[in-house]
Amino acid sequence: MQQTSMHETHVGSPRNRVDGRLKVTGEARYAAEYTAPDLAVGYVVSGAIARGRIRSVDTKAAMAVPGVIQVFTHQNRPRTAWRAKAYQDEVAPPGTPFRPLYDDKILYSGQPIALVVAEDFEIARYAASLVRVTYETEPHETDLGKLREKAYKPPKTRSGMAPPPPRGDAEAAIGAAPFKVDESYRIAIEHHNPMEMHASTVVWEGDGKITVYDKIQGVQNTQSYITHVFGLSNDDVRVLSPFVGGAFGSGLRPQYQLFLAVMAALELQRSVRVMLERDQMFTFTYRPDALQEMAIGANPDATLQAIRHDAIGCTSRFEDYQESVVSWSAMMYRCDNVTTTYKLAQIDTYTPGDMRAPGAPTGMFALESAMDELSYKLQIDPLQLRLRNYAETEGGGGKPFTSKELRAAYQLGAERFGWSRRNPVPRSMKEGRELIGWGMASGMWEAMMEKTSARATLTIDGRLEVGTATADIGTGTYTILTQIAADALGLPMEKVTARIGDSSLPMSPVEGGSWTAASAGSAVHVACNAVRETLFKYARGMDASPLANADIGRVAFRGGRMELMADPSRYVTIQDTMRAGGVDRIEAEETAAPSRINQLRYAAYTHSAIFAEVRVDEELGRVRVTRIVDAVAAGKILNPKTARSQILGGVVFGIGMALTEESMMDHNLGRFMNHNIAEYHVPVNADIHDIEVIFVEEHEDKINPLGVKGLGEIGIVGTAAAIANAVYHATGKRIRHLPITVDKIIGEKEAA
């Protein structure tokens, strides 16, 4: 790809969201808000047992309700469905994906066992309550703690999830280390709970063609799923998802309401909508529980001698879901002796799924908590311990980093937080009835880029449209793509339109992994550069052109014209150039892909340093996070305003992980019991106080043409550990099982 000089006026500046007005006025429409003539509504009937078989389904009373069109069960499911017996969607783990209404088997509690389709929602919901089901139950197991001995190494490794190879002799080094930590750590299961619930509206277009509005983080993933499962062609299925009301990973895979809506629409040959209710949002993907054993050994000079990190994650019985839980322990610090293991144990739930920075908050909670514990044993400042073992290469002996400014993040974060004023003694800081604690942790997440295509179209009226099939789940994708495109052609942002969330647009992977800015942004950048080059050729060929002998690298595109950098008075306008060339539009479709050579040679990560202050009511055990400073090194920041919002969201996510979020399973029933947002506690406004975000200057030139690293996930990584470390500093009580609730603060025993 030819690198061109850009006169940047938008990239790097804090710009308002181009879709902001649509969202705050309600004009932005989401999957369940689209309508169509003769639209029917489906309501899902959820199963009541955790494992077994359906003995009978009585739908007579439901079918007798006026307005009910059909009740679908495994007994009358259309035979056209599931042509691809074990179709793997784009982000599926190894195994056989769940197939709704496939047979009489019950694989988990809450499994969809029927779909009532009616003329409106209220009729469908009422009729669903009349469906009578009897079951044959089988023994189930949902307690990961009881399955240690049954844990296994997955026979097929999910891409990028294999633990790194061991180095040195960690066991011997830990045994010989004069200072060591050897403890167990655990987090609770968490559910995604985005504001927008999962929904699919399938519009019957006739002749077997459908338009699908789906809550999804990748419209082409949904399209591929539908075509494979129902035996349709891409021409038969168009998927649209212009706005997504949060997803956090729950929308990476097509969820079961999509299958049910498409199945019903194709069978009834009419438009159908299926939206899940809030409690049904607890009947599919979640962040998995993980049993972690972490041991760290160090010398008296605080240099790490060994790290051992073993984890057991839970998965379903039909897929081997995997995360990179232990990998971070092998990469974060300089250490010659490291060993990690990762195993799975099957429980009777739906398959866990990727949830904001999957694996990293889990594994880094254990690592960063253990590092904090080690600092107290060594009687060294927790920040100094990390600096003493700072890795200049991956793990201290691996690949060099494409860029790494974590040392600067430590310094700037500590200065802004006032870390030097910290009294290192636990329970030494107090105000009134509240104990005050200061804790810190490191954050690390992959900086990735995926192959992506984009189209750029410049019209003679000076307007530019760019399009790629990626998604915007609230991250600001519309805005940054608009900024990139506007700068490429020197146009005001008002003259640029970004189109995304449409399966007919150029190829894009799902929006996840914090790779969208790097991937979709680079594709738009390349496509716009191609338009620039074509436009410039026309400009050079104009009669008496002031740019006839110029090189594109010495020309600035700004204000709707092309001008010589050395002499801005010599220019031509876009309109005049296109008229002279006899064209009213210039279009280019290009693909951007990561450098395979650089991927092999370098390690690419975003880094952060998190400093947290908590106040703990000694009598009530209530914990308040009163201050957080998060210093982030993430390459070039395309839009400081939307970037800051991403880190703020991640930090709030981390506060929830540390203090409130917990999906509570009744193991006797095998069912999550707090399946609503009244009892599943996410942080609310009153829980959030001062959060300061610092972006550390970092030059990146090896990952992608824009020099950016993702921001969607780094904000949560390490945040829960920093808070837990602050709680220990405040109370002298080490809590190793998240969330940190009142009973663990004031109880007699450590809840480890």
Side-chain angles (χ1 to χ4, degrees), residues 737-750:
H737 187 173
L738 298 181
I740 301 171
T741 47
V742 169
D743 57 308
K744 296 172 185 174
I745 293 288
I746 63 177
E748 291 297 322
K749 297 180 179 179
E750 292 187 28

Side-chain angles (χ1 to χ4, degrees), residues 133-216:
V133 183
T134 62
Y135 304 93
E136 179 183 320
T137 62
E138 297 176 14
H140 68 268
E141 184 58 77
T142 53
D143 189 347
L144 179 62
K146 294 181 178 180
L147 298 172
R148 290 178 184 270
E149 300 306 316
K150 294 183 179 181
Y152 61 95
K153 182 179 179 181
K156 184 177 180 181
T157 302
R158 190 181 180 197
S159 177
M161 301 300 172
R167 58 180 185 263
D169 188 341
E171 285 301 322
I174 288 172
F179 294 90
K180 66 190 72 175
V181 171
D182 191 349
E183 297 289 352
S184 300
Y185 303 88
R186 193 171 184 180
I187 68 162
I189 286 176
E190 300 175 330
H191 277 82
H192 299 71
N193 274 311
M195 187 177 293
E196 181 198 11
M197 292 174 285
H198 279 261
S200 302
T201 300
V202 181
V203 179
W204 176 256
E205 306 288 4
D207 297 325
K209 296 183 182 298
I210 55 175
T211 299
V212 181
Y213 298 92
D214 191 32
K215 180 191 173 74
I216 195 71

Side-chain angles (χ1 to χ4, degrees), residues 64-81:
V65 175
V68 170
I69 302 164
Q70 182 59 280
V71 180
F72 292 99
T73 70
H74 70 280
Q75 296 171 328
N76 66 345
R77 168 181 59 81
R79 297 298 103 185
T80 55

Side-chain angles (χ1 to χ4, degrees), residues 242-484:
F243 297 100
V244 181
F248 316 117
S250 67
L252 288 171
R253 303 184 67 180
Q255 301 299 350
Y256 64 73
Q257 91 288 336
L258 171 70
F259 171 86
L260 297 173
V262 173
M263 175 200 70
L266 293 176
E267 179 69 8
L268 301 174
Q269 296 190 6
R270 65 182 289 182
S271 301
V272 175
R273 173 193 297 141
V274 177
M275 182 179 77
L276 302 184
E277 294 200 314
R278 179 59 63 178
D279 67 328
Q280 292 171 329
M281 298 285 283
F282 288 78
T283 62
F284 52 93
T285 185
Y286 57 86
R287 190 193 299 278
D289 188 2
L291 308 176
Q292 300 186 75
E293 304 292 334
M294 171 69 71
I296 301 180
N299 282 336
D301 64 357
T303 57
L304 297 182
Q305 293 304 295
I307 299 174
R308 186 190 69 235
H309 191 175
D310 303 310
I312 299 174
C314 62
T315 189
S316 68
R317 293 193 185 275
F318 47 90
E319 289 177 308
D320 279 344
Y321 176 78
Q322 301 157 49
E323 293 185 336
S324 55
V325 174
V326 299
S327 302
W328 317 99
S329 295
M331 300 182 295
M332 187 72 228
Y333 298 108
R334 186 179 67 252
C335 185
D336 293 333
N337 302 288
V338 179
T339 184
T340 60
T341 66
Y342 179 69
K343 295 181 178 180
L344 297 177
Q346 293 181 338
I347 61 175
D348 293 298
T349 65
Y350 188 83
T351 306
D354 297 334
M355 185 173 182
R356 204 168 198 160
T362 305
M364 290 292 279
F365 168 65
L367 175 63
E368 291 300 285
S369 295
M371 286 290 285
D372 196 68
E373 296 195 52
L374 182 62
S375 73
Y376 284 95
K377 291 193 174 187
L378 289 164
Q379 296 186 352
I380 185 176
D381 183 277
L383 176 56
Q384 291 303 313
L385 175 62
R386 287 162 174 82
L387 288 169
R388 186 75 53 87
N389 295 282
Y390 190 86
E392 299 291 353
T393 58
E394 189 179 45
K399 298 177 184 178
F401 294 106
T402 59
S403 58
K404 184 181 181 183
E405 294 294 343
L406 178 57
R407 196 184 297 276
Y410 285 142
Q411 178 185 344
L412 292 174
E415 289 175 356
R416 198 68 61 89
F417 188 82
W419 184 258
S420 62
R421 300 194 303 272
R422 174 180 179 269
N423 186 327
V425 179
R427 300 182 61 87
S428 62
M429 300 167 64
K430 189 173 183 179
E431 186 174 297
R433 57 189 285 173
E434 289 185 314
L435 298 167
I436 300 172
W438 288 5
M440 61 86 54
S442 308
M444 185 179 187
W445 180 248
E446 297 167 288
M448 295 178 282
M449 178 186 177
E450 297 289 318
K451 184 179 180 181
T452 305
S453 300
R455 183 185 304 124
T457 305
L458 178 67
T459 52
I460 199 167
D461 59 358
R463 301 198 66 86
L464 176 66
E465 179 181 280
V466 293
T468 181
T470 190
D472 188 335
I473 61 171
T475 52
T477 304
Y478 278 108
T479 307
I480 61 169
L481 296 186
T482 301
Q483 290 176 267
I484 292 166

